[in-house]
Amino acid sequence: MRSIQTLLAFAVLACGWMAPGFADTTLLNVSYDPTRELYEDFNRAFAEHWRQETGEDVTVRMSHGGSGKQARAVIDGLAADVVTLALSADIDAIAEHGDAVPADWQTKLPNDSAPYTSTIVFLVRKGNPEGIRDWDDLVREGIEVITPNPKTSGGARWNYLAAWAFADEAYGGDAGKSRDFLARLYRNVPVLDTGARGSTTTFVQRGIGDVLLAWENEAFLAIEELGPDKFEIVVPSVSIVAQPTVAVAEANARRNGTFEVARAYLEYLYSPVGQALAAKHYYRPVSPEAAAPEDLARFPDIKLVTVAEKFGSWAKVQASEFADGGAFDQIFASRR
Amino acid sequence: MSDTPLTAKAPFPPAVIAATTHETPGVRHALTAVALTYLALFLLLPLVMVFAEALRGGLAAYLSALTEPDAVSAIELTLLVAAISVPANMLFGLAAAWAIAKHDFRGKTVLTTLIDLPFSVSPVIAGLIYVLLFGLHGFLGPWLREHDVEIVFAVPGIVLATVFVTLPFVARELIPLMQEQGTADEEAALSLGASGFQTFLRVTLPNVRWALLYGVLLCNARAMGEFGAVSVVSGHIRGYTNTLPLHVEVLYNEYNFVAAFAVASLLASLAIVTLIAKSFLQWWYGDALASGPKR
């Protein structure tokens, strides 16, 4: 039968088509949503650097999505060579549910394996029609706040913690009042997207909401891509030091024979080239001296607190706030 | 034997309906206008918008969006997935319809119900089934890892998920027709000394060829357009495991709206071609049946 012949022909074609992927050195970088533009540039720079160092060609493949969702995919077997996720808790989850990254991954690279940091700011429509100045404006009646789902998105968890840090200072550490503040804030959230980029498109492209809680780099990028005549950034009185972290998925990389190049890839993020690229894409570099001064000048001054000084540790916050049945689940249940 | 069409959707010829309604022409025109406006608003307008947005940056931008490496790889992957899953489901659909319509056996109703399962299960669940089965912590995951076989987050997983969601199309198209046609032709062939396989090839298959083509068309359209199930098992690796629908999402999320709509217009064109081919078949196939070459 003709169709059987066709099927066989396609099966043979398929095998031939999939094979060449293994000829070159290929790295898979599993990352979160807003890093697309950064890694597009960085991968090019690293490929050039690696060719000069070793004469070897390296292709870096990218997978982007909500940070929690991406961690889940790596746990389920997505063969990442390196993970560059939004927060350490997601890489902790990978270490906990399997052997892809070692338990002590965070000690393997400088600055707790965070080559760049960011923070959370507000993006509002041009002219700030609702007069949003600070966190307490977000709980006002009738304000629509756009933020992704903390269950699946790393950025969303930083948003949550930044709001909490504000409430903690505003109410002098009264836990009950802080919780109530967060509950009122999430009552103003009409859509919970799964990732930061989804929330940004909801706000800028679909025109929903009065204020977007966004990664600083994501807010800058939205303005750059979609026009400074449409949106502006509002800097709140206090925000959080968001530390996106990176790790070599050692078990995968060793199996793929890419351990050396994977480690060099992440180390290159700390090099002057990597740091300058981070600043260019609106991430705050950990070694600012390598970055262009005009890039650094774009970052506003914000009073920043860290997770460690405010809440203890990510492991603690993850368990009490974002685990099943944790504080966020209760807040979200109270919405209805 | 009556010439009942494949699906008995219109039990009365139009003339009978006209004679039994008493609405004034005004009411009838108004109803037609409502239906047409509705179609224009909800079907035609979005379709036109897709092409308008795609061409907003000019023809050059449109073409470059379709020829850049990631788009080409998405097109190749989509074609590959369809080229495997459509023939597979065609063979399965034929076999299942033949078994169900022409034979009696225990568990026939179970099989019929199972064929419908992919229609009633959400595509996301369909994808998750494969992650749970073949994922690293799934039932077969550790064994697959040991033997270096990649299924989920690679091309085989995408093919499996697509096969699952497109499984019913061919079978669903063939079963009612085969049941309608009965077994008289086959019995005649057998009594004249044809073997079982000859009977199938020369009698059963020609009798259902248009319905088969129709089912294959629908199956193909869904295979190329599937998003949910494929999204779960793809791993979203750019230029490697992104199919066309996933590539549209990626481009849209990168603020690359012209390219996103350009790729979307490819899928929309596929839908239009399918629609035209489908209408043509319906018309042609209905005609072929009415002239009754075999009965």
Side-chain angles (χ1 to χ4, degrees), chain A residues 173-255:
Chain A
D174 185 323
K177 282 184 176 163
S178 297
R179 285 261 185 277
D180 179 59
F181 178 84
L182 286 169
R184 279 187 291 151
L185 197 160
Y186 278 90
R187 219 166 283 149
N188 280 351
V189 178
V191 198
L192 279 178
D193 288 287
T194 53
R197 191 50 67 85
S199 278
T200 311
T201 35
T202 295
F203 183 74
V204 301
Q205 194 63 15
R206 290 166 59 200
I208 296 174
D210 302 307
V211 53
L212 171 74
L213 304 188
W215 290 97
E216 183 180 49
N217 57 292
E218 184 77 357
F220 273 117
L221 186 72
I223 289 179
E224 183 186 294
E225 292 280 337
L226 300 152
D229 52 330
K230 291 190 186 121
F231 305 99
E232 61 186 63
I233 290 175
V234 170
V235 179
S237 63
V238 62
S239 195
I240 196 135
V241 183
Q243 288 181 299
T245 42
V246 301
V248 176
E250 293 187 12
N252 296 344
R254 285 190 204 283
R255 206 178 31 255

Side-chain angles (χ1 to χ4, degrees), chain B residues 222-233:
Chain B
R222 178 67 187 269
M224 290 190 173
E226 174 57 26
F227 178 84
V230 167
S231 173
V232 177
V233 296

Side-chain angles (χ1 to χ4, degrees), chain A residues 62-63 76 97 197 255, chain B residues 136-137 145 235 238 252-253:
Chain A
M62 296 302 303
S63 168
D76 282 330
H97 298 101
R197 191 50 67 85
R255 206 178 31 255
Chain B
L136 194 52
H137 296 271
R145 167 60 60 98
R238 254 194 110 125
Y252 188 79
N253 278 341

Side-chain angles (χ1 to χ4, degrees), chain A residues 1 3-4 6-7 10-11 13-14 17-18 21-22 28 33 36-37 40 61-64 69-70 72-79 97-99 197-198 200-201 204-206 218 221-222 225-226 251-252 255, chain B residues 73 76-77 79-80 83-85 87-88 90-91 94 128 131 134-138 145 148 150 152-153 155-156 197 200-201 205 231 234-240 242 249-257 261:
Chain A
M1 252 171 92
S3 61
I4 295 178
T6 325
L7 181 66
F10 274 120
L13 251 172
W17 174 79
M18 279 183 275
F22 301 100
L28 175 58
D33 258 331
R36 297 159 194 267
E37 292 76 13
E40 206 183 317
R61 289 188 173 135
M62 296 302 303
S63 168
H64 293 279
K69 189 183 119 203
Q70 293 292 79
R72 186 69 241 174
V74 174
I75 291 168
D76 282 330
L78 179 57
H97 298 101
D99 61 353
R197 191 50 67 85
T200 311
T201 35
V204 301
Q205 194 63 15
R206 290 166 59 200
E218 184 77 357
L221 186 72
E225 292 280 337
L226 300 152
N252 296 344
R255 206 178 31 255
Chain B
S73 119
E76 282 175 351
L77 178 60
L79 290 177
L80 174 80
I84 299 173
S85 54
M90 188 178 90
L91 288 178
L94 261 176
L128 276 178
V131 173
F134 300 117
L136 194 52
H137 296 271
R145 167 60 60 98
D148 260 336
E150 280 194 324
V152 282
F153 309 119
V155 178
F197 191 60
F200 175 76
L201 220 56
L205 203 55
S231 173
S234 137
H236 302 270
I237 307 167
R238 254 194 110 125
Y240 187 57
N242 270 344
E249 190 203 25
V250 165
L251 291 170
Y252 188 79
N253 278 341
E254 287 173 1
Y255 305 117
N256 201 343
F257 303 119
F261 281 104

Side-chain angles (χ1 to χ4, degrees), chain A residues 39-207:
Chain A
Y39 282 110
E40 206 183 317
D41 262 8
F42 178 77
N43 291 346
R44 214 173 296 130
F46 176 73
E48 183 58 33
H49 164 76
W50 192 249
R51 192 168 40 239
Q52 277 172 11
E53 289 272 297
T54 64
E56 197 177 57
D57 279 325
V58 58
T59 312
V60 185
R61 289 188 173 135
M62 296 302 303
S63 168
H64 293 279
S67 185
K69 189 183 119 203
Q70 293 292 79
R72 186 69 241 174
V74 174
I75 291 168
D76 282 330
L78 179 57
D81 296 290
V82 298
V83 287
T84 55
L85 295 179
L87 43 84
S88 55
D90 285 330
I91 304 185
D92 282 341
I94 299 173
E96 197 182 317
H97 298 101
D99 61 353
V101 295
D104 61 344
W105 64 271
Q106 207 162 6
T107 62
K108 306 245 166 167
L109 287 162
N111 194 40
D112 290 337
S113 294
Y116 39 76
T117 68
S118 189
T119 186
I120 302 301
V121 296
F122 304 163
L123 193 68
V124 297
R125 306 201 183 275
K126 190 71 191 177
N128 197 358
E130 297 293 337
I132 291 161
R133 300 267 162 255
D134 205 353
W135 292 98
D136 47 0
D137 291 316
L138 305 185
V139 300
R140 276 181 0 219
E141 197 80 18
I143 296 289
E144 285 194 340
V145 182
I146 304 297
T147 175
N149 186 349
K151 292 287 193 176
T152 53
S153 156
R157 273 172 268 176
W158 291 115
N159 293 348
Y160 178 100
L161 292 184
W164 190 12
F166 167 83
D168 191 62
E169 299 205 343
Y171 299 115
D174 185 323
K177 282 184 176 163
S178 297
R179 285 261 185 277
D180 179 59
F181 178 84
L182 286 169
R184 279 187 291 151
L185 197 160
Y186 278 90
R187 219 166 283 149
N188 280 351
V189 178
V191 198
L192 279 178
D193 288 287
T194 53
R197 191 50 67 85
S199 278
T200 311
T201 35
T202 295
F203 183 74
V204 301
Q205 194 63 15
R206 290 166 59 200

